[in-house]
Amino acid sequence: MTAYIIRRLFATIPVMVVVALFVFLLLHLTPGDPAAIIAGDDATPMEIEGVRKRLGLDLPIWEQFIIYAWGLLRGDLGTSIFSNLPVTTLVAQRLEPTLVLAASTLLVAVVCAIPLGVFAAWKARTFVDRVVMGFSVLGFAVPVFLVGYILIYIFSIELRWLPVQGYRPLSQGVDQTFRSVVLPAVALGTSYMALIARITRASMLEVLSEDYIRTAHAKGVTTKSVLLRHALKNAAVPIVTVIGLGMAALISGVVITETVFNIPGLGRLTVDAILKRDYPIIQGLIIIFAGTKVLINLMIDISYSFFDPRIRY
């Protein structure tokens, strides 16, 4: 197992190099000049050229990439063009809201989706099963931003139970943080929950048709033990895979959700950087997101052996 983990960690190096190269080229070859945006609409060509020299944008692309890659090796993601602050500082300032939102979404989705999927598989082809699967299809089809606006209208505007937008840090109290993230977590977790519930049901149906499940029933094992101890554990590998892939997919969902609920996290930072064409921030965030996804995939692979002892690396 240790040798496998080391091999996988070394395999991430070429992946991250390719990601850095493509992100750098994609941003620098697309139309638009950040120097013109910084200089303003009334700037002269000479003033724009001065800004380009100050930012190093007048250098050849290959030289800019070497400077950028050397900074990455030293843990330097660059400096924001507009705020003149290090990208690592900006990420650290926005990290807590995103982590809290992602963790809350994951908790809501997993706690609700797995029991729904197990229950639907147990009651397969009944009215309960159709209701659960109908909810799954609807939750997966409806856009996250639409669910968010519906929740805001019901629970914030009509009932006035929860704040409309914004984020309260943990330093102001866990209860205040909970009130500020419950709506975005439910909105983002709806589609995620739908996917996990469908995969859980499909995987459970396959396992429940196995001979050892019928043997357990014949020996008088209770339904609860059959579902949880025998079936769910053996059906866990595809479920864990979907949960892990969904964690990586939360990145795109966080960008939309934080914009709808005005949460100052990494999603909002990404949108603001794209609108301003702030190259260092965009590059740094994509590198962080890509590295996170690679580590999540590694954790998924390692977890397989805990759920199925037959899997060996």
Side-chain angles (χ1 to χ4, degrees):
M1 176 66 76
T2 302
Y4 170 77
I5 296 175
I6 294 175
R7 288 198 306 269
R8 283 294 303 270
L9 289 176
F10 275 107
T12 62
I13 296 176
V15 173
M16 298 306 298
V17 170
V18 172
V19 169
L21 177 61
F22 272 89
V23 169
F24 181 86
L25 293 177
L26 181 64
L27 293 176
H28 281 71
L29 296 179
T30 51
D33 188 358
I37 300 176
I38 297 174
D41 296 334
D42 300 328
T44 64
M46 186 175 297
E47 291 173 339
I48 295 176
E49 187 61 27
V51 174
R52 289 180 58 82
K53 290 182 179 180
R54 178 168 58 86
L55 298 176
L57 298 176
D58 60 324
L59 299 173
I61 292 182
W62 64 268
E63 190 172 344
Q64 294 184 48
F65 178 75
I66 291 176
I67 296 173
Y68 172 67
W70 176 244
L72 288 180
L73 292 176
R74 294 183 289 111
D76 182 11
L77 298 178
T79 303
S80 170
I81 294 175
F82 290 89
S83 65
N84 290 323
L85 291 174
V87 175
T88 51
T89 301
L90 295 174
V91 170
Q93 293 174 351
R94 304 289 191 99
L95 188 60
E96 181 189 311
T98 298
L99 289 180
V100 172
L101 176 58
S104 303
T105 301
L106 185 64
L107 180 64
V108 169
V110 173
V111 169
C112 296
I114 292 181
L116 283 176
V118 172
F119 193 64
W122 180 38
K123 300 292 185 179
R125 291 174 290 279
T126 64
F127 176 75
V128 174
D129 181 27
R130 294 188 180 93
V131 170
V132 173
M133 288 302 98
F135 165 76
S136 299
V137 173
L138 185 64
F140 198 68
V142 178
V144 174
F145 68 88
L146 181 58
V147 177
Y149 286 129
I150 293 174
L151 292 176
I152 289 175
Y153 178 77
I154 296 175
F155 294 99
S156 299
I157 297 177
E158 291 295 327
L159 299 178
R160 300 182 183 275
W161 289 352
L162 298 167
V164 176
Q165 292 179 328
Y167 172 77
R168 296 295 183 90
L170 292 171
S171 59
Q172 297 184 11
V174 178
D175 57 331
Q176 295 297 323
T177 303
F178 172 79
R179 283 174 51 83
S180 64
V181 301
V182 61
L183 287 186
V186 172
L188 182 56
T190 300
S191 60
Y192 191 27
M193 186 192 315
L195 177 62
I196 297 175
R198 290 177 65 85
I199 296 299
T200 301
R201 176 186 179 275
S203 183
M204 285 289 294
L205 283 176
E206 183 179 353
V207 172
L208 288 174
S209 63
E210 297 290 338
D211 292 338
Y212 64 85
I213 297 295
R214 287 191 289 269
T215 302
H217 281 298
K219 293 171 65 176
V221 180
T222 62
T223 302
K224 180 180 178 181
S225 296
V226 170
L227 291 175
L228 300 182
R229 294 184 57 187
H230 297 275
L232 184 58
K233 183 178 180 180
N234 288 281
V237 170
I239 298 173
V240 170
T241 302
V242 171
I243 292 175
L245 295 177
M247 290 173 61
L250 283 178
I251 295 172
S252 59
V254 162
V255 173
I256 300 173
T257 307
E258 288 183 356
T259 303
V260 171
F261 288 92
N262 194 27
I263 297 177
L266 297 182
R268 282 290 306 279
L269 181 62
T270 303
V271 173
D272 294 341
I274 292 174
L275 293 176
K276 295 179 180 179
R277 298 190 64 83
D278 199 329
Y279 292 147
I281 294 180
I282 300 173
Q283 292 169 341
L285 288 173
I286 294 179
I287 291 296
I288 291 173
F289 293 155
T292 302
K293 188 168 185 177
V294 169
L295 291 177
I296 289 174
N297 288 334
L298 175 61
M299 293 171 60
I300 294 171
D301 289 346
I302 295 174
S303 68
Y304 288 163
S305 61
F306 294 100
F307 293 104
D308 190 346
R310 295 172 299 177
I311 297 177
R312 290 289 181 267
Y313 297 104

